[in-house]
Amino acid sequence: MLNIHINGRHASELGLTPLKGCLSELMAPPKRKQIITNTNTNINGDVVLPLGTAVQSRTVTLFFKIEGNGSLIDLQDTLELLEIELLNGTDGNGTNEIFVEELGRTFYLVYQEMSDYSNFGEMPKATLRIKFLEPNPRNH
């Protein structure tokens, strides 16, 4: 199982278990920023302006199983506490530090939304998708 820490807390402390695809999503390379070209009609082809190595921000979507402590009410409380944690981020600044033990890296992600919530019936368990923005994919 992938060992993820969110804002210094192990994911399990927040009732979360990472699901398949989390590692792939975090390790995916970012896209390069748009290439700028000059297509002047007086020249053959295009002139490409110097680019450097800048990359675009990216969306990171992580999938988790979330569990309450015995009832659907506990599950709802766990979801609400998770949302507050993600909205506040580290030190209340809105940026979340997602540390992955297996990579030895911290990803700095801004919470956008939780979606694809799927409850397991009356059991206090569900799956959900958490969408983040990674403003600077080179800052790990």
Side-chain angles (χ1 to χ4, degrees):
M1 177 177 72
L2 195 61
N3 288 295
I4 292 179
H5 299 259
I6 300 173
N7 301 329
R9 299 170 64 190
H10 194 276
S12 62
E13 293 177 41
L14 298 168
L16 298 174
T17 303
L19 297 177
K20 183 178 179 181
C22 283
L23 188 60
S24 298
E25 186 73 12
L26 288 166
M27 292 183 67
K31 293 180 182 179
R32 180 181 208 155
K33 285 204 170 181
Q34 183 177 359
I35 297 172
I36 299 171
T37 60
N38 179 351
T39 58
N40 187 318
T41 58
N42 295 326
I43 60 173
N44 293 319
D46 293 340
V47 174
V48 178
L49 302 177
L51 294 176
T53 59
V55 296
Q56 296 179 16
S57 62
R58 67 182 182 137
T59 298
V60 175
T61 303
L62 303 178
F63 297 90
F64 293 96
K65 178 175 77 172
I66 187 165
E67 295 185 55
N69 293 323
S71 72
L72 290 176
I73 293 170
D74 291 331
L75 177 60
Q76 186 62 41
D77 290 345
T78 302
L79 276 165
E80 289 173 6
L81 290 173
L82 175 62
E83 183 180 29
I84 291 167
E85 176 75 28
L86 296 175
L87 285 168
N88 288 330
T90 305
D91 298 328
N93 67 8
T95 299
N96 294 278
E97 294 181 1
I98 311 295
F99 176 72
V100 181
E101 286 183 24
E102 290 80 357
L103 297 176
R105 288 194 171 169
T106 300
F107 297 83
Y108 301 94
L109 308 176
V110 178
Y111 169 71
Q112 291 184 308
E113 69 176 337
M114 281 192 254
S115 63
D116 292 345
Y117 176 82
S118 181
N119 197 337
F120 293 2
E122 292 188 22
M123 297 181 353
K125 298 179 183 179
T127 57
L128 61 104
R129 177 174 75 165
I130 304 175
K131 183 176 164 184
F132 297 93
L133 173 70
E134 186 174 25
N136 181 359
R138 293 284 189 238
N139 183 21
H140 293 161

